[in-house]
Every structure is written in C-alpha cells, then in structure tokens.
Amino acid sequence: MTTARLLTVTALTLVLTACAAPAAPRAEHGYVAGAEELSEPQSAIAYASDGGTTLHLLDLASTEHRAIGLRTTARELSEDGRFVYLTDGDRTLEIVDAGVWTVDHTDHVHYYRAPAASVGTLTTEKPITSVAGNGAHIAIGTADGTVVVLDRRALESGEMRELARFGATALAVPYADLLLAAQDDRIVAVDAAGKRTGALEAPCTDPAGWVVLRGGALIGCDSHVVRVKQEGPELAAEVISTDGASIPRGTFGFRPRSNEAAVAGEDGVWSLNAPKATARHLPMAGVRAAASPADGSTVLVLGSDGTLRSHDLATGKVLAGRKLAATRLTLDVNRAYLTDPGAGVIHEIDYRDGLRTARTFTTVERPDLAVEVGR
C-alpha cells in the first residue's frame, strides 16, 4: 500500500474548507471521542435545491433546520450514513459531515451526534461517475476509469487524506477494508493502492450499481448480480442469476442494517436478497424509484406520477397506495421519506401502517436533492 499523503495540486486538486474536527476516529465498541452518544437514532434529512449552494439538515426529532454553506453547486447527492457527497454534475465533489451517525455492532447499535460541517472539496481531471463510501474507504470513480481512494476514518477527524489513485477500473466499492473493483470484465478485490489481493474473482461486465447490506455487497452487472460476502477472514463471491437481464442503473433503496434492497428500471423493479443470494423481478411501467422494507414480502415503489405504492413481492399486487407528488424516496427502520419539491415539503410515511402519512415537513427551499443521514 502506498504511504498516505495529503491531496496536492496535481491531476487532482483538494481544497480543505473546514477547520473544526467534529469527532475522532471510532474506537472499540463504538466509542467516539468528542461525540455525544445518545439512546435514539439521530436521523436527519439532508437536502438542497438543484444548483443550490446550501445544504440543509432537517433534524427529524426536533424538526429544526440547519444550513451549511457549500463551495460547489449541488447537482447530485448521495450519502453513506454519515457523510453527504455532493457533486456539481461534472468534476467537483464536496463532502459534508452531517454530524449524525450510527455504529452497527450487528446485535446492537450506538447513536452519535457531533457538529456538522463541510470537510472539503476536490476536483478531478475527468467527470465524476461514482462515489462509494463505506467502512475505511471512499472510492471516487471518474469517466476515464481512474479511482481516487480517500481515508474515510481520517475524514471522521475532519481531514481529507488521499491513499492512492489507480486506473482501468469501471467501479470500486469499499467492503471489508478492501475495494471491490470492476476490472477486465471481472469483480476483483484490491487494496487501497489498487493492487489485486487474489481474494476473489467473479465475472461482471458493465457494472450498473452497488449496495452494501448486512449479508454482503451486491454489484449489478449486465446479465447477473455479484454478491461478495465476508466469511470469517475470507471473502467469497457468488453470481446471482437474473436470467440474463441487466440490473438497472438506478439507486438501490434499502432499510439500514437489513439484507434486502430494490432498484427501479424502465420495465419494473428488482428486489435483491443478499444472504439468500436471490433476485426477483416485478414487471411494471412508470417507476421512478424503489426501496425494500426488508420484510421479505413487500417492496415500496415510487411511480413517475409521484404516487407511493406497496407491492406484494410474490404476486406484484398493490397492497396500499398514497397519492403524492413526490420525486425522491428514502427509508429507515420505521419510516419512509418522500420529497415534493414543487410544494416545498417532505412527507414522512409509516410504511408498516398502510402508508399512513405520519408528518409533513415544510422545507426552507426546494428539496430537489435529498438523502437521509444518521439512520
């Protein structure tokens, strides 16, 4: 592995924007120096207007809003539970520490809160095509096949630190302190410097998306899904059949600390189960987004008309519906959140109770882009 170094002004430019370090790296059993541990999840909705320069954090417990000024314009938004990744749709990425997160020990969890702040920005030579943060690493992929690897644990201390850059990679997903890289029509395990470890190899052309669940990491390919699972000190890869169908290039919607995910495409919804290594397709038209409540029997679908529906996985039958004008869908262990930019509101839906509307929040500006953090 190459020696870690701070990003310099070379092919990649890094600008540090925040001085305060919100929390030290996590220690054993979830302890984090400088952060407050609480008994309940500290969930928040991070949202921004398309092209805006402010990220808003809506605290779901207190309903208070906090504004964080950005140095880039927001065009795309993603998260990894704690950090929010904003890109300008081209070559600039800004990372914001939302200051709320959950430490998962499988049999129990810890909830933390610390000050929120923008940690920094970086600019790449080619357009950014993927951002994947998990565990020890953040992998930023660009249009020329270059992957920039950042130290995610250093980011927890307020420092953006580059570990390496390597090429010829269509996608890289951090998992089990390594990276799952799509190279030469294969998924292979590489270290943070891009060196293959020989831990696994699985066929995969044209990788379409990814998700890390408790039961393993899933990567969609042109004719199947690859599941990578850590079994003790080893990694094992398995090909999940989709009968030759491609997994859509959408966002995998999932409930945190679960084993199921769903993704929407032009011809319907795919529901994936990591530990069972199964993929189920529900044909339907006019789907904008999908997410799995991880109950083994249903999937949530957001239609292109903004209507939220719950479908039976076995039959595809609509079990419940809620007519909204929503554009984005995310969910946690109890609720689903849907944004309506035109009305300037975010709907909180109880997906366990017939899609009942629990609360509706008025936003400070249009929530064109939105993710949930701290969940």
Side-chain angles (χ1 to χ4, degrees), residues 272-331:
L272 308 173
N273 186 297
K276 293 181 179 179
T278 59
R280 182 193 300 267
H281 184 249
L282 295 181
M284 63 184 76
V287 180
R288 178 174 302 195
S292 174
D295 57 9
S297 61
T298 65
V299 64
L300 297 177
V301 175
L302 178 61
S304 56
D305 63 352
T307 298
L308 179 67
R309 303 187 304 272
S310 175
H311 287 258
D312 183 280
L313 271 181
T315 65
K317 178 182 177 181
V318 177
L319 303 176
R322 177 68 61 186
K323 188 171 180 59
L324 303 166
T327 61
R328 293 178 182 266
L329 165 67
T330 185
L331 65 157

Side-chain angles (χ1 to χ4, degrees), residues 24-358:
R26 66 172 62 99
E28 290 300 317
H29 207 67
Y31 170 75
V32 178
E36 180 184 10
E37 183 173 4
L38 299 163
S39 61
E40 300 292 337
Q42 301 300 296
S43 301
I45 302 295
Y47 68 91
S49 62
D50 187 14
T53 56
T54 302
L55 181 69
H56 301 275
L57 293 173
L58 167 61
D59 188 307
L60 292 173
S62 69
T63 71
E64 295 178 349
H65 286 76
R66 176 172 180 183
I68 297 176
L70 304 173
R71 293 200 174 188
T72 187
T73 56
R75 294 291 186 186
E76 297 174 356
L77 201 63
S78 60
E79 50 79 32
D80 67 9
R82 174 174 179 175
F83 297 103
V84 180
Y85 305 105
L86 304 101
T87 74
D88 64 351
D90 189 20
R91 299 181 302 112
T92 302
L93 168 73
E94 183 161 2
I95 302 178
V96 174
D97 185 346
V100 289
W101 68 96
T102 298
V103 176
D104 183 12
H105 289 292
T106 305
D107 60 340
H108 69 283
V109 294
H110 298 266
Y111 307 109
Y112 290 97
R113 178 180 290 276
S118 175
V119 183
T121 64
L122 62 86
T123 300
T124 57
E125 281 194 331
K126 300 296 182 179
I128 295 169
T129 56
S130 64
V131 182
N134 180 58
H137 304 113
I138 300 166
I140 300 109
T142 63
D144 63 353
T146 297
V147 172
V148 181
V149 183
L150 300 184
D151 186 333
R152 188 176 178 277
R153 289 171 179 151
L155 201 68
E156 293 172 351
S157 299
E159 179 184 25
M160 291 181 71
R161 182 183 295 273
E162 180 188 343
L163 297 178
R165 276 174 277 170
F166 55 89
T169 302
L171 177 72
V173 178
Y175 181 70
D177 284 344
L178 295 172
L179 299 173
L180 306 178
Q183 298 177 342
D184 302 324
D185 295 334
R186 294 285 187 273
I187 299 297
V188 296
V190 303
D191 63 20
K195 181 180 179 181
R196 294 193 184 189
T197 67
L200 65 92
E201 183 175 305
C204 182
T205 58
D206 196 22
W210 64 277
V211 64
V212 176
L213 303 171
R214 270 188 170 174
L218 302 176
I219 298 176
C221 307
D222 67 336
S223 60
H224 58 267
V225 176
V226 171
R227 186 201 68 179
V228 177
K229 184 177 182 181
Q230 185 172 22
E231 299 178 347
E234 306 296 327
L235 292 180
E238 182 172 349
V239 171
I240 302 174
S241 174
T242 59
D243 294 325
S246 298
I247 294 298
R249 293 183 175 278
T251 299
F252 285 78
F254 64 100
R255 179 174 65 77
R257 299 176 294 286
S258 73
N259 281 317
E260 299 176 62
V263 62
E266 293 182 357
D267 61 349
V269 171
W270 283 94
S271 176
L272 308 173
N273 186 297
K276 293 181 179 179
T278 59
R280 182 193 300 267
H281 184 249
L282 295 181
M284 63 184 76
V287 180
R288 178 174 302 195
S292 174
D295 57 9
S297 61
T298 65
V299 64
L300 297 177
V301 175
L302 178 61
S304 56
D305 63 352
T307 298
L308 179 67
R309 303 187 304 272
S310 175
H311 287 258
D312 183 280
L313 271 181
T315 65
K317 178 182 177 181
V318 177
L319 303 176
R322 177 68 61 186
K323 188 171 180 59
L324 303 166
T327 61
R328 293 178 182 266
L329 165 67
T330 185
L331 65 157
D332 58 29
V333 294
N334 294 307
R335 298 288 190 265
Y337 295 93
L338 298 101
T339 59
D340 180 346
V345 298
I346 297 173
H347 300 286
E348 181 183 75
I349 304 296
D350 187 345
Y351 57 80
R352 302 178 189 275
D353 187 18
L355 304 185
R356 173 181 61 87
T357 299

